[in-house]
Each structure stands twice: as structure tokens, then as C-alpha cells.
Amino acid sequence: MIITIDGPAGSGKSTVAKLLAERLNVRFLDTGAMYRAVALAVLQGGAEESDAQAVGKIAGDADIRFDDETITLNGNGVAAEIRTPEVTAISSVVAANTDVRTRLVELQRAVGRQGSLVTEGRDQGSVVFPDAEFKFFVTASVDARARRRHRELIAGGSSLTLATVRTQLQQRDARDENRQHAPMKPATDAVILDTSDMSIVQVVNAITAMVEP
Ligand code: DC
């Protein structure tokens, strides 16, 4: 059984997908972490994120794995390194690269072939797993998402203002929604959940009720 949970940054989809996978006792795949790992490889390789050919080659050469909730790049755990502001800033540019998407979609489908999975991202229901049994698109107002992201960043020691976080979130949304290849959008058969006024537990309960009626 494949369950896809797509949605924009700050919608809570990662936390929801992880909790849902634990509840259902199936694997969890964070595809955003894979795009972030490519962005990190681009930074490490000293390439310009706008150099499509160089970025495509770096993605093709990189060994990126997401196993047991651990993201590795060329054999090294990079959980913290992929969450820096530098990686976040270029991840949506790198994610618009066609070669990068082709490669990561292959890797994601290979994970899907290994058995039941809750997978989260932007295109999991629309492109990567069009035949998934259950598809959800989790969203929230830009203000609610910016507040959540700001809270997380402050807890992690950042001093960014709410206004800056909101602007960066909107820039990333715009890039993810307007790219040519696999733009962020709900699959036509996805259930859309607006979580602006819902807690994480409420969202997980709502999805569980639909998956396990
Ligand atoms: O969910 P996230 O913030 O970790 O995602 C990082 C970037 O990768 C974000 O800009 C969107 C992009 N992404 C994507 O294009 N497709 C996916 N399936 C997952 C993430």
C-alpha cells in the first residue's frame, strides 16, 4: 500500500507522514530530504545552482539514500547539513532541474517497489506514484505556515524574523508551483486537507480514519 502526502513547506506534512507511517507500521520516505541532499552536493561541489548541466551531473554521480529515516549523501549522514539556510535557499532551484527530478523519481519508485510506504513531497501523488491507494494534499494558509516554520527555526536557535520567514516561504512556493517539470499541485484524485486550524494529531487522526475506516 502506498500513501502519498504532498503539500507546501510548513504545511506539517513531514510530521504527519512520519507519525502516520509509525501508526500503520510501514516505511516513511521524505523526498524533500533527497532534493536537499542534491542541493548540499551542489554546494559541496562548488557548482552554481543555476548551471543545469553541472547540477544534473552532480545529481547523477551522487549516492543518495533515505533508509530507516536516515538521509545519506555518498555514505555520510547529512540530516543536519541539509537543513541549513544555504541548502534551503537553493533546494527549490535544484528541484526544478529536469535531470535531478528524473534521477530522484527513479530512486523513489525503487523504494516504493520494496513494499508499503507513506511518502511525502510535492509530486508523490501527481507524478511519482499515480496509482497510490491513498493520496492527500496537506496545506494551510501562508500565515499559519510561516508561523509554524518561524517557531521551528527560533527553537533551533535562528534569529530570522517572522516577516523574513514568510517572504522566503512564498518565494519557495512560487518556484515549486511554477516550475515546468512536475510543479507542486494536488493530484486530481487527492483528498485536500486545510490544516490551518488543526493540530498535527488531528490531521493524523483524520487521515488514519480515511485509510483504516
Ligand atoms: O519539503 P522540503 O522543504 O524538505 O523540500 C525541499 C525542496 O525540494 C522544496 O523546494 C521542494 C522540493 N521538492 C520537490 O520539488 N519535490 C518533492 N517531491 C519534494 C521536495
Side-chain angles (χ1 to χ4, degrees):
M1 175 178 68
I2 306 266
I3 300 173
T4 63
I5 303 190
D6 291 302
S11 60
K13 66 182 186 314
S14 283
T15 316
V16 166
K18 205 171 185 170
L19 288 172
L20 183 69
E22 273 170 27
R23 233 188 236 193
L24 301 175
N25 199 21
V26 301
R27 288 163 317 138
F28 158 65
L29 180 63
D30 175 352
T31 63
M34 300 172 96
Y35 285 95
R36 286 170 178 270
V38 174
L40 178 63
V42 168
L43 286 178
Q44 289 177 344
E48 280 297 321
E49 68 268 22
S50 54
D51 183 342
Q53 223 182 339
V55 169
K57 175 153 178 21
I58 286 172
D61 292 343
D63 178 13
I64 292 167
R65 295 174 198 221
F66 188 89
D67 281 326
D68 285 336
E69 302 193 9
T70 306
I71 180 80
T72 59
L73 171 62
N74 301 326
N76 300 312
V78 289
E81 290 84 346
I82 62 164
R83 304 284 161 197
T84 64
E86 292 76 19
V87 168
T88 302
I90 69 159
S91 62
S92 58
V93 179
V94 165
N97 182 296
T98 303
D99 293 338
V100 172
R101 298 206 76 84
T102 305
R103 166 123 172 93
L104 293 191
V105 167
E106 255 173 43
L107 294 178
Q108 292 157 15
R109 287 187 178 143
V111 175
R113 281 194 291 274
Q114 288 161 17
S116 291
L117 182 69
V118 176
T119 179
E120 65 101 325
R122 303 291 190 288
D123 60 346
Q124 299 299 287
S126 56
V127 173
V128 184
F129 298 108
D131 300 328
E133 281 84 348
F134 297 98
K135 299 182 186 180
F136 298 93
F137 192 86
V138 177
T139 187
S141 68
V142 68
D143 285 327
R145 294 189 290 116
R147 274 197 307 274
R148 287 175 190 165
R149 206 21 81 88
H150 183 243
R151 221 180 296 137
E152 277 170 19
L153 288 167
I154 295 293
S158 158
S159 55
L160 285 181
T161 65
L162 177 60
T164 305
V165 172
R166 192 180 190 281
T167 305
Q168 289 176 348
L169 201 91
Q170 282 181 304
Q171 284 168 346
R172 211 141 67 87
D173 281 357
R175 273 202 292 265
D176 291 339
E177 279 166 0
N178 297 321
R179 67 175 171 237
Q180 232 173 347
H181 193 148
M184 170 172 71
K185 65 165 186 230
T188 48
D189 50 351
V191 173
I192 298 179
L193 279 170
D194 185 331
T195 68
S196 304
D197 299 314
M198 291 172 89
S199 69
I200 292 289
V201 172
Q202 284 173 325
V203 181
V204 177
N205 286 345
I207 294 183
T208 308
M210 287 184 253
V211 172
E212 287 187 327

